[in-house]
Structures are given as structure tokens and as C-alpha cells.
Amino acid sequence: MQRTVIDYREKTGFRPVDTFSHLRLKDLESMQALLALLGELNDDQPEYRFLCTLDDLGQCCYTSNHALEQTALCISADKTDFDNPSSVREFELRRLSHVMSQLQNPDLVLTWEGVVGELIATDEDIQTLIATNRHPSSMLDRVVYVQRLPVPRDDLLIAGIPNGYFSSDWNVFQNHVVIQHMQEQYGYRFFGIGASWLGFVRPSSLEMAEAEHLMDDLAGLYGCTDNKSQGQWKELEKVLLATRTLFLCYTENFGR
């Protein structure tokens, strides 16, 4: 793995996500190596929280930029000098604060029931869900950025790279509801986002009762409560019982 520390005040030969980019990782060995690194960062710098990119970095940044143009999340950049790193930093701090505030705005907050069934998964989608959770390293892009964010809670890390742009996908607020539910109900901490996937980790693997409850939740979430897909959910249950991680897709037709 090639690891490069980033300082937003210095020019680089690559383009970071934004001024919150702290590390650039190239050719990661595995998801386990990434999680170990994030654990070290959390221990060494408890005043921050860390979010990493997952799949398809370019598309992830593209759709996030468009998501930030939505009325509820957009702020004015009229006074920002984009040739001045300090000015850009000030703007991005204001934007981060605004997105966090909007995610907690009672007039905009959604419920779990409001997200359930909004994304209908096919049998192929569920198989992709199983395969990705069984071999999560396969989703990682060749370059991964680690964002260092001054946010007070893990669920608010999504304010750093808010995503969910296309109308057929979960939007930013729906993604946030899923993140909160996974944390509150199952102890999964949000740690990564890509163009299609949300990444979670917990201190230990699920107990059987937790896994069974989670499968019911996920089947409902993806609109797959029919008997036809029950065997696939049992297969996913076995995968999650053997790991501490969980990866959920927020885009339409992700099994293609």
C-alpha cells in the first residue's frame, strides 16, 4: 500500500476529494488493512472522525457534488476564492456545518419506515449484496481517500461526502436514516461511502438473534419479503455471522 499524507495548504500531483482529505491510499491490500488503519487514526486523533471512500472514486465525487447542489444542502460560494486554499477550507467548513444541521432538521428528518421499500432489489441484486459482503476488498477502488472530519457523531460523517443523487436511488437523507438505524439497532458504525455502497463495522460479529432480526430489516428495506428470496437472506446471514462488517448498496439495479 502506498500511503500519502495530505495537507490542503500544499499542492499535490493528484486531486483530493476536498480540504478534509487526510490520506491518499493506493493499492490497498484488503478491507481489513483499511479498517486497521482507520482504527489507528481514531485512537491517535480522537478529536476527529474518519471517513473513507470505497467504490468508484470518480463517480462517488461526481454524484456527491451534485447532491450538494440540492436545495436543502446548497450554500452560496460567492465569496470563496477557489485559488486560495484557506478560503476554500472556510467554505467547506461552512458547508459541512450546514449539511450536518440539515440532516438534523426536524422538518427534513425521515423515518426508517419512510425508506423501507424505496429501493426494490432483484434476486441478482441480493446475490451482489452477498458477494460484496463475503469479499468486501473487491469493491475498493485502486485509490482510497481518508477524510478527517470535525463531526460530533459517526452518523454525521455522511455530511463529509453526502451522496444519493439520482431519483431512483436513496438520497442523502435516506442514506442517513439507514446509517442511524444500523448503528442504533445493531451497533454498526458508519465508516465508508462510495458511488454505490455504504460501509459499516461493529466491534464483534453478530449474535444469531441479531442476524435474524437484521435479515428481516434488510428484506423489508430492499422490498424483498416474498418467499422466493428467503434462501438468499439466509445465505447473507451466514456471511454476516462470520464478519464484523456490513456493506449496503444505495443505488438502483446494483446487481447488473
Side-chain angles (χ1 to χ4, degrees):
M1 174 180 65
Q2 183 183 79
R3 173 174 169 171
T4 305
V5 178
I6 303 170
D7 184 332
Y8 72 88
R9 294 162 295 189
E10 300 176 358
K11 290 186 177 181
T12 63
F14 48 83
R15 184 178 182 181
V17 176
D18 54 26
T19 64
F20 296 113
S21 295
H22 177 57
L23 294 176
R24 182 181 189 263
L25 310 175
K26 187 176 179 182
D27 297 329
L28 267 163
E29 297 92 345
S30 65
M31 185 66 72
Q32 288 72 24
L34 175 57
L35 289 170
L37 173 59
L38 292 175
E40 292 174 8
L41 291 170
N42 283 312
D43 290 341
D44 294 344
Q45 303 180 55
E47 67 273 28
Y48 296 105
R49 283 177 166 79
F50 295 87
L51 175 71
C52 70
T53 59
L54 296 173
D55 60 292
D56 200 343
L57 175 63
Q59 182 70 9
C60 175
C61 293
Y62 172 81
T63 50
S64 180
N65 286 335
H66 280 294
L68 284 164
E69 293 173 351
Q70 297 173 18
T71 301
L73 302 180
C74 184
I75 65 169
S76 173
D78 288 349
K79 296 182 180 180
T80 303
D81 178 0
F82 285 97
D83 292 322
N84 182 338
S86 295
S87 180
V88 174
R89 177 69 163 194
E90 190 276 333
F91 166 72
E92 291 180 349
L93 281 166
R94 285 194 297 108
R95 185 173 65 185
L96 178 69
S97 178
H98 176 70
V99 175
M100 283 196 291
S101 176
Q102 292 295 77
L103 289 174
Q104 300 171 90
N105 183 337
D107 294 330
L108 299 174
V109 168
L110 303 176
T111 64
W112 173 255
E113 290 73 21
V115 182
V116 166
E118 288 296 303
L119 189 63
I120 304 299
T122 65
D123 287 345
E124 291 76 15
D125 292 334
I126 303 172
Q127 281 301 315
T128 296
L129 198 64
I130 294 167
T132 300
N133 278 279
R134 180 177 283 128
H135 302 293
S137 300
S138 64
M139 83 157 65
L140 291 175
D141 213 346
R142 189 181 180 195
V143 171
V144 169
Y145 282 95
V146 177
Q147 304 290 103
R148 185 171 64 182
L149 295 160
V151 300
R153 303 198 312 261
D154 291 323
D155 66 287
L156 293 174
L157 280 167
I158 194 174
I161 308 180
N163 229 323
Y165 165 60
F166 296 109
S167 60
S168 53
D169 305 334
W170 295 337
N171 62 35
V172 177
F173 293 91
Q174 290 170 320
N175 276 336
H176 185 236
V177 168
V178 172
I179 289 167
Q180 286 184 306
H181 189 82
M182 291 301 115
Q183 179 172 323
E184 293 168 2
Q185 296 298 314
Y186 304 102
Y188 279 114
R189 179 177 60 81
F190 176 59
F191 76 88
I193 189 166
S196 297
W197 293 88
L198 306 173
F200 304 86
V201 64
R202 45 177 276 152
S204 60
S205 57
L206 294 163
E207 299 291 336
M208 179 59 75
E210 292 176 310
E212 291 174 350
H213 187 200
L214 177 58
M215 291 310 101
D216 289 339
D217 265 356
L218 294 184
L221 180 64
Y222 286 111
C224 301
T225 55
D226 60 303
N227 292 329
K228 183 180 178 183
S229 59
Q230 291 307 306
Q232 293 178 306
W233 293 114
K234 291 301 292 184
E235 187 178 354
L236 179 60
E237 179 184 290
K238 291 179 181 178
V239 171
L240 295 182
L241 283 168
T243 182
R244 298 188 300 118
T245 55
L246 169 68
F247 297 92
L248 300 178
C249 192
Y250 64 88
T251 57
E252 185 184 35
N253 297 324
F254 57 90
R256 289 184 179 176

